Amino acid sequence: MRLVLVAIFFYISFVPVKAIFRPAVISNRRLPNDFMIGCATSAYQVEGGWNEDGKGENMWDRFTHAHPENISDQSNGDIACDSYHRIKEDVEMIKAVGFHHYRFSVSWSRILPNGFANVVNMKGVEYYNRLIDELIANGITPIITIYHFDLPEVLQELGGWTNGLIVDWFEDYARVVYRSFGDRVKLWITINEPKQICHYGYGDGMLAPFLKSSGIGEYICARNVLLAHAKAYHLYKNEFESIQKGRVSLTIECTWKESGSNSTADKKAAARDRQFDFGLYTHPIYSYQGDFPAVVKHAVKERSILEGFPQSRLPFLTSKEVNYIRGTYDFFGLNYYTTQYVVDAPAPHIGMPSMDNDVGVSRYSDPKWFVGTFEYFKSVPWGFRNLLNYIKLNYRNPEIFVTEIGIPVEENFANYENIKFHNDHLNALLDAVQIDKVKVKAYTVWSLMDNFEWAKGYTVRFGMYYVDFEDPERKRTPKLSYQFFKNLIKSRTVTNKLDQRFVKH
């Protein structure tokens, strides 16, 4: 029996999943009765009010003011969508579509202007209290993300996510947030997208704090993010759950990696790339074994020694830390945007360390895939289904909350390709739920409205509402996808054939 299980695990890990799961032939089907559809934003991307009512400076404030040349349109989030002054309008927009939930983040520096819990900005707390109360009054479930990229600048100057003390700083911040809002909020995301925080922030320098320390910075960051999440999770379980009755997890963006061929080398390369891309964060939390993936530990240590380091650049977790992190979830928070083909690559030359060299693969896309206005985003619905199945098979079959999904398109109002993306991916999701028996409980559209998309500024638009950033009033106008989701949520039916109103002719 043991040999059979090993054989099944090997098959699941290395055979292209696309070949296992076949598309459904059902043309129409109902959403499950308990299935939630909602939308999402984050504090820095929509709030504005960057220095109002006692808010402290965060690292995006600092960087966009000091280096506007590194943002595509030299913009910043000083005003953004002006959500800080438009709570009722934001909630009316959410309610008009019929969304069941709204995922938003609280700004660490708006709550704790100095980064530390000794000073709490009550005006910041009041802002989020008004937002939460307005959502609940309109029948919308609030989902709070405690941290979504906007670290207080004072903490970044102390090393940010590469300083081990941030584990305790984050716990202190989480305690203030739980105490302030936990009587009404029952769904929590501790940290959004560890890969983006660590790899893009401290590795290749694409996001704040824009540090380039690939092969070192992101690994130190990864360890601290995992421990910080675990601290916030255990804090809730020990001090708040018995009274507040909420659920806590984190959100991880997972790019599906498909083998580019049936060769053993390419299958192993795709499996390896998955572990570096998201397994670095999912494996310690969701697997039975815990810890960083073995293939990652081996690859980084081997190259570290060859590069002359006395030990691995990946700081290993102690057995105590492995046990502390493992199992710190109540559901799987998933952000999905795209898929890549992966093939094995010759071992990179030994020189400067980098995460790409540690992985040792080449990636490519099918030219037939639809590409969004930002090259990274490509529509691959079958990759989404494969990923959902991978999570089920490898991570203890958890409940999955899709906490972000979307694609940016050129059309400002008649956003046909955005509608097609969501319809195709909802069909793939229902294939996973109804045929493969994956436990997906929520689908969250990124995003409610066009907003500040980090280093791309306002040049990339995901929103269901168009925002006129040239208008001092930040006028919001519904796009065609507004009507699509309004109809879908009302009917609770997904179809393989789109209504002609939503098809580009």
Side-chain angles (χ1 to χ4, degrees):
M1 183 65 181
R2 185 173 180 179
L3 289 175
V4 171
L5 291 173
V6 170
I8 292 172
F9 176 79
F10 181 86
Y11 186 69
I12 289 169
S13 299
F14 297 116
V15 173
V17 184
K18 185 173 64 169
I20 302 174
F21 303 108
R22 307 213 186 309
V25 295
I26 305 170
S27 59
N28 292 285
R29 48 249 164 103
R30 297 270 299 174
L31 293 168
N33 291 335
D34 61 347
F35 190 79
M36 300 166 58
I37 298 182
C39 61
T41 62
S42 84
Y44 185 78
Q45 293 178 274
V46 300
E47 281 182 5
W50 81 275
N51 61 352
E52 292 187 46
D53 295 335
K55 176 185 169 295
E57 184 183 35
N58 67 49
M59 65 182 179
W60 278 95
D61 295 324
R62 173 66 63 88
F63 189 86
T64 56
H65 294 160
H67 299 285
E69 70 278 5
N70 286 343
I71 307 299
S72 293
D73 55 2
Q74 300 190 14
S75 64
N76 56 52
D78 288 4
I79 302 173
C81 303
D82 199 28
S83 287
Y84 187 66
H85 302 105
R86 299 173 184 272
I87 288 175
K88 286 188 178 294
E89 184 178 351
D90 284 2
V91 175
E92 285 171 2
M93 286 162 37
I94 299 165
K95 184 178 182 181
V97 182
F99 283 131
H100 306 125
H101 65 273
Y102 179 46
R103 177 188 170 220
F104 63 96
S105 72
V106 292
S107 166
W108 191 332
S109 55
R110 196 178 294 284
I111 299 290
L112 305 179
N114 301 321
F116 300 100
N118 63 315
V119 177
V120 178
N121 177 28
M122 292 311 300
K123 288 187 176 180
V125 173
E126 289 165 9
Y127 164 69
Y128 295 113
N129 273 327
R130 291 197 305 273
L131 173 57
I132 293 165
D133 290 344
E134 189 71 15
L135 289 167
I136 293 172
N138 284 277
I140 301 162
T141 299
I143 301 177
I144 283 188
T145 303
I146 299 175
Y147 179 76
H148 196 130
F149 297 178
D150 50 352
L151 190 69
E153 174 61 21
V154 64
L155 300 186
Q156 179 51 43
E157 291 175 1
L158 294 173
W161 288 101
T162 60
N163 184 337
L165 293 175
I166 200 168
V167 176
D168 294 326
W169 302 338
F170 184 71
E171 180 189 33
D172 294 340
Y173 165 50
R175 181 179 284 107
V176 173
V177 174
Y178 292 147
R179 282 176 176 168
S180 300
F181 314 124
D183 59 325
R184 288 149 294 158
V185 176
K186 306 306 173 186
L187 289 170
W188 296 94
I189 302 294
T190 57
I191 295 172
N192 179 74
E193 298 186 339
K195 177 178 68 178
Q196 281 68 15
I197 295 168
C198 297
H199 180 58
Y200 295 127
Y202 295 87
D204 70 1
M206 287 179 60
L207 297 176
F210 294 90
L211 298 180
K212 294 185 178 182
S213 180
S214 188
I216 298 175
E218 62 250 281
Y219 296 141
I220 299 171
C221 171
R223 178 179 182 274
N224 291 335
V225 164
L226 286 166
L227 287 168
H229 156 73
K231 269 249 181 179
Y233 178 87
H234 288 298
L235 169 68
Y236 190 84
K237 295 297 175 180
N238 294 333
E239 296 186 19
F240 297 96
E241 184 184 50
S242 62
I243 297 173
Q244 296 182 358
K245 310 297 184 184
R247 304 176 73 192
V248 182
S249 284
L250 82 169
T251 275
I252 298 172
E253 187 272 318
C254 303
T255 297
W256 177 247
K257 309 289 187 169
E258 185 76 24
S259 174
S261 81
N262 283 322
S263 76
T264 300
D266 288 347
K267 291 173 186 175
K268 288 183 177 180
R272 184 168 68 249
D273 203 14
R274 290 173 209 144
Q275 298 298 352
F276 272 92
D277 181 84
F278 55 84
L280 191 65
Y281 308 100
T282 55
H283 199 274
I285 295 171
Y286 293 98
S287 73
Y288 286 109
Q289 302 90 345
D291 204 354
F292 292 126
V295 67
V296 174
K297 292 173 67 175
H298 173 77
V300 178
K301 183 176 182 180
E302 183 176 57
R303 285 194 65 87
S304 297
I305 299 304
L306 292 173
E307 290 161 350
F309 288 86
Q311 57 194 14
S312 177
R313 290 178 272 103
L314 174 67
F316 286 1
L317 297 167
T318 66
S319 58
K320 183 177 180 180
E321 290 168 341
V322 168
N323 291 330
Y324 189 71
I325 295 168
R326 184 175 52 219
T328 53
Y329 69 91
D330 293 327
F331 53 89
F332 192 111
L334 171 66
N335 290 357
Y336 172 79
Y337 286 101
T338 200
T339 285
Q340 296 171 331
Y341 281 119
V342 179
V343 294
D344 195 30
H349 175 72
I350 297 299
M352 293 296 292
S354 82
M355 189 175 192
D356 282 343
N357 288 345
D358 293 336
V359 184
V361 303
S362 293
R363 307 177 185 99
Y364 67 96
S365 302
D366 187 327
K368 295 190 292 293
W369 294 344
F370 174 78
V371 183
T373 50
F374 182 15
E375 177 67 19
Y376 174 76
F377 298 95
K378 299 177 176 69
S379 181
V380 193
W382 59 259
F384 182 41
R385 182 182 178 186
N386 290 353
L387 174 61
L388 293 173
N389 275 279
Y390 182 90
I391 293 169
K392 172 191 172 183
L393 295 169
N394 289 274
Y395 298 131
R396 305 194 239 183
N397 192 20
E399 288 189 347
I400 300 171
F401 284 63
V402 179
T403 44
E404 284 181 30
I405 187 168
I407 196 167
V409 297
E410 290 184 4
E411 301 97 335
N412 289 329
F413 296 102
N415 54 343
Y416 298 108
E417 293 293 352
N418 184 283
I419 292 170
K420 186 177 187 307
F421 173 94
H422 284 295
N423 195 67
D424 290 347
H425 283 75
L426 280 163
N427 270 291
L429 182 150
L430 285 180
D431 290 343
V433 170
Q434 296 178 347
I435 300 171
D436 312 327
K437 307 305 179 185
V438 183
K439 297 188 293 189
V440 189
K441 298 299 182 181
Y443 184 95
T444 309
V445 179
W446 185 268
S447 62
L448 171 63
M449 55 190 153
D450 298 334
N451 53 51
F452 181 83
E453 284 295 340
W454 310 114
K456 291 294 179 180
Y458 300 102
T459 67
V460 174
R461 293 178 178 266
F462 283 89
M464 183 169 312
Y465 287 82
Y466 176 87
V467 180
D468 184 354
F469 294 106
E470 301 301 318
D471 182 351
E473 298 300 316
R474 294 303 196 264
K475 182 180 178 182
R476 291 90 172 270
T477 306
K479 301 180 187 180
L480 191 60
S481 55
Y482 159 91
Q483 193 61 52
F484 167 77
F485 272 103
K486 186 178 179 70
N487 293 355
L488 185 148
I489 292 169
K490 185 177 181 180
S491 69
R492 296 196 67 82
T493 300
V494 177
T495 178
N496 285 347
K497 188 176 182 180
L498 277 169
D499 186 302
Q500 287 302 299
R501 289 176 297 167
F502 305 128
V503 178
K504 190 173 185 177
H505 299 290

